[in-house]
Amino acid sequence: MSQATATAMVDAQDVHKYFHQNEVLRGVSLQVKKGEVVVIIGPSGSGKTTFLRCINHLEKINKGRILIEGEPMGYREEGGKLVEDREKNIARMRSQIGMVFQRFNLFPHMTALQNIMEAPIQVKGVPREEAERRARELLAKVGLSEKADAYPARLSGGQQQRVAIARALAMDPKIMLFDEATSALDPELVGEVLKVMRQLAEEGMTMVVVTHEMSFARDVADRVIFMDGGVVVEQGKPADIFSNPREERTRTFLRKVLEAEA
Amino acid sequence: MNPIQSFLKSYNGAAVAHNLFAPLILQGIIITIILAILSQLTGAIIGLILYFMRRARLKPLGWIAEAYIWLFRGTPLLVQILAIYLATSYLGLARPLQASNIFVVLGFDPTGYATALRPFISGFIALALNEGAYMAEIVRAGIESIDPGQMEAAKSLGMTYWQGMRRIVLPQAMRVILPPLGNEFNSMLKNTSLVFDISLYDLLGAAEAIGSPSFLTLELLTVASIWYLVMTTVWTFIQSAIERRFGASTREPGGGKFNWSIFALPDRLFRQSAGARI
């Protein structure tokens, strides 16, 4: 194992994933360094969301492996064969990987504050007072201090998504995964969520972002990955990908998307 | 005199009023309520266990659960009650159970009327087992109504399946489960009357015990019916109060003040012990 892969935050090696007969990921290899912001773009059905969900083992992979800081995610070797890891260990690794979902998935029976406090208390055993203090800090960070006691049903989509980001951050994750975090939002609410994501990127958070927001990819990404048909077609600096894509498939996709945006 | 007139003439309205608060009847009401609550709670727990057996990785557990549900939903409740009553004698439990009295066990004895534990325990077991088979479907419908994204969010935060179930999914499923659970309890209050067939002095058993020897059968059945109506009516009010409290009818998340203490209790215990260690 080379030095570079050993220190990579995420190291995906030849990841394959089938849904029944359908091969959704056909050998994805991708490294994410500490502090790097990687944005994955591509047409729907390209496998980008599935790949993201494989990183924290919400989807099981059928071949290949994913290392988080050198530690295999979801599987361990036993007698030369890969078997699914114990639940406790998967949960421990997931607790260090924040995830933000397209549909927010806030807990509707808890207030914004309780949503954020829940995992630190239940998973890490953080004392209640400490968890609440931290939760209030995070709500302030996402600009929702006054919504601490509001239930998710009383919040707009953009507000819910910001609470969801705060909830993930409460676990002090090493890396944040964003699965089309703005796709379910009304257009006027997209900006407030992207602003929080930008701020996180500036603070040096390691991020893997699946998105259709090309402006975000262009401005914030350290590296843009273009996926299509279950493989990484092309990757590079945003400037190169957007102004000078090498692959025909990338050109076609960008032309369609940028036309739609214009 | 036409048949209706002769019926009205023979029907002893005064006997209804006279027996409405007879000690044996009041004792029967207590037995009916205790039996219904115990059976319903146990049935709900069995239903929850059956749900987890059905989705267990170990397939035979699922087969056992399916067979159980098939058996208890496919045979008459009365048959199950009689079978379990008889089973107590095959298991050699008939004599010790017959010898002890419910109210001695409970610590008070209002009528001094022998109320053996054997029919009570047999009835309780049969009602709970039967109810469990029906609750299994209600629990499943409740849990499956919750967006799978909820469990995914819980897991993504590092919770285990059980933590996610207990803290996130079950409290939400409770809103969906409560209305049918309330209806089940309404049925349960009346289904308990089947145990009079194994000579338990529940409400119906008590009515029979007074009515048969005195040839006031219909009058005492009226007494029993009045009390069943009182119980189911009171329960209807309690049920809607509970559902309001849990926001079940509003369908708005967070609409009810939510504190399902059964789920919260282990946390409190844990937190206290954790505090003691510090």
Side-chain angles (χ1 to χ4, degrees):
Chain A
M1 195 183 285
S2 74
Q3 191 60 35
T5 51
T7 54
M9 188 62 83
V10 179
D11 184 3
Q13 302 169 356
D14 192 33
V15 173
H16 290 254
K17 169 73 187 172
Y18 304 86
F19 286 118
H20 307 291
Q21 296 302 311
N22 190 14
E23 191 171 14
V24 188
L25 298 178
R26 304 163 180 263
V28 175
S29 296
L30 181 67
Q31 284 78 41
V32 181
K33 291 197 289 284
K34 192 173 184 322
E36 196 178 18
V37 177
V38 171
V39 173
I40 306 177
I41 59 172
S44 50
S46 60
K48 52 193 192 309
T49 285
T50 304
F51 175 69
L52 197 73
R53 289 163 58 83
C54 287
I55 294 178
N56 68 351
H57 199 61
L58 283 182
E59 301 288 353
K60 296 174 187 178
I61 63 177
N62 298 108
K63 199 180 150 208
R65 57 183 198 160
I66 295 175
L67 307 176
I68 308 292
E69 284 195 318
E71 194 177 349
M73 179 76 214
Y75 297 88
R76 64 200 148 93
E77 276 190 48
E78 229 170 58
K81 262 181 30 180
L82 282 184
V83 293
E84 191 166 20
D85 208 347
R86 277 185 297 272
E87 193 195 10
K88 273 260 153 63
N89 203 37
I90 294 173
R92 180 184 59 78
M93 289 182 69
R94 278 186 184 136
S95 73
Q96 303 168 351
I97 305 172
M99 187 165 204
V100 177
F101 299 85
Q102 183 177 359
R103 305 280 327 160
F104 328 134
N105 295 350
L106 287 183
F107 306 134
H109 58 305
M110 297 179 182
T111 63
L113 194 71
Q114 289 167 341
N115 261 277
I116 300 170
M117 292 164 60
E118 180 67 12
I121 292 174
Q122 296 298 325
V123 176
K124 282 187 168 177
V126 174
R128 181 159 288 269
E129 301 72 35
E130 166 71 14
E132 182 175 338
R133 193 186 53 73
R134 177 90 176 111
R136 289 192 190 279
E137 269 176 30
L138 287 165
L139 274 175
K141 184 187 174 84
V142 299
L144 289 172
S145 289
E146 76 286 6
K147 298 289 184 188
D149 297 321
Y151 284 92
R154 295 257 178 253
L155 301 175
S156 74
Q159 290 170 335
Q160 288 190 57
Q161 195 61 298
R162 285 187 280 155
V163 172
I165 293 172
R167 178 176 72 175
L169 290 175
M171 292 298 286
D172 294 316
K174 296 173 182 167
I175 177 169
M176 287 281 287
L177 311 176
F178 291 85
D179 180 15
E180 303 197 17
T182 57
S183 297
L185 296 176
D186 291 334
E188 76 272 20
L189 302 176
V190 169
E192 62 189 68
V193 173
L194 289 181
K195 194 179 136 202
V196 172
M197 290 168 65
R198 264 170 219 267
Q199 191 191 335
L200 271 181
E202 282 162 18
E203 289 168 8
M205 175 63 77
T206 311
M207 293 163 66
V208 181
V209 181
V210 168
T211 188
H212 295 294
E213 295 294 329
M214 293 304 143
S215 60
F216 181 84
R218 201 163 15 205
D219 301 347
V220 184
D222 296 313
R223 185 150 51 104
V224 173
I225 313 283
F226 174 68
M227 277 182 73
D228 193 13
V231 293
V232 172
V233 175
E234 184 169 357
Q235 56 176 305
K237 293 208 173 307
D240 297 336
I241 295 283
F242 283 104
S243 53
N244 194 15
R246 290 189 307 272
E247 300 290 331
E248 181 54 37
R249 274 196 283 178
T250 317
R251 274 196 285 273
T252 315
F253 172 75
L254 286 174
R255 200 180 312 126
K256 279 186 195 154
V257 176
L258 296 175
E259 260 170 29
E261 269 184 15
Chain B
M1 220 163 36
N2 68 33
I4 293 175
Q5 279 172 322
S6 71
F7 166 76
L8 288 175
K9 192 155 184 288
S10 67
Y11 187 79
N12 188 344
V16 174
H18 181 254
N19 284 297
L20 199 54
F21 297 97
L24 193 58
I25 293 289
L26 298 181
Q27 176 186 291
I29 293 170
I30 295 172
I31 292 175
T32 291
I33 291 174
I34 293 174
L35 185 60
I37 292 175
L38 281 181
S39 306
Q40 189 63 54
L41 287 178
T42 312
I45 292 165
I46 292 172
L48 201 60
I49 293 168
L50 287 171
Y51 170 81
F52 290 115
M53 285 173 74
R54 278 170 144 187
R55 65 168 305 289
R57 275 191 202 175
L58 200 60
K59 286 283 168 265
L61 284 178
W63 301 334
I64 293 169
E66 294 299 340
Y68 175 102
I69 291 165
W70 170 77
L71 183 68
F72 277 91
R73 296 199 341 158
T75 57
L77 176 53
L78 184 54
V79 171
Q80 294 164 19
I81 289 171
L82 291 171
I84 285 168
Y85 183 69
L86 290 174
T88 55
S89 90
Y90 287 117
L91 294 172
L93 296 169
R95 204 175 291 272
L97 286 177
Q98 200 73 50
S100 43
N101 178 311
I102 300 171
F103 286 100
V104 172
V105 173
L106 290 175
F108 69 107
D109 189 6
T111 62
Y113 214 98
T115 306
L117 211 48
R118 184 188 175 197
F120 183 86
I121 295 289
S122 309
F124 159 64
I125 292 172
L127 288 165
L129 290 178
N130 179 270
E131 184 57 26
Y134 287 91
M135 283 305 298
E137 285 303 315
I138 292 172
V139 167
R140 174 158 84 169
I143 291 175
E144 287 180 357
S145 74
I146 304 305
D147 178 3
Q150 291 290 307
M151 181 57 93
E152 287 191 347
K155 284 183 173 177
S156 80
L157 290 163
M159 291 193 205
T160 60
Y161 173 80
W162 286 108
Q163 282 178 319
M165 225 351 122
R166 192 168 56 80
R167 297 286 313 174
I168 308 302
V169 176
L170 282 180
Q172 293 181 62
M174 219 54 220
R175 291 162 191 275
V176 184
I177 292 171
L178 268 174
L181 179 73
N183 296 340
E184 285 294 302
F185 187 66
N186 183 300
S187 303
M188 177 64 79
L189 280 169
K190 293 164 294 179
N191 284 345
T192 53
S193 65
L194 289 171
V195 297
F196 106 95
D197 219 49
I198 50 175
S199 59
L200 179 68
Y201 293 106
D202 71 317
L203 178 50
L204 185 63
E208 277 288 310
I210 300 172
S212 279
S214 55
F215 301 103
L216 292 166
T217 313
L218 193 58
E219 288 78 357
L220 267 295
L221 285 179
T222 309
V223 169
S225 299
I226 290 170
W227 281 116
Y228 281 115
L229 280 168
V230 169
M231 287 192 286
T232 51
T233 306
V234 169
W235 171 245
T236 305
F237 286 112
I238 295 174
Q239 186 185 354
S240 54
I242 294 174
E243 284 175 20
R244 254 200 316 281
R245 183 164 161 73
F246 283 83
S249 52
T250 63
R251 291 302 303 155
E252 186 196 304
K257 200 82 191 103
F258 208 97
N259 185 8
W260 193 243
S261 51
I262 292 175
F263 295 111
L265 187 62
D267 300 333
R268 292 214 187 99
L269 294 174
F270 174 75
R271 228 173 283 130
Q272 274 172 8
S273 64
R277 250 184 284 127
I278 291 167

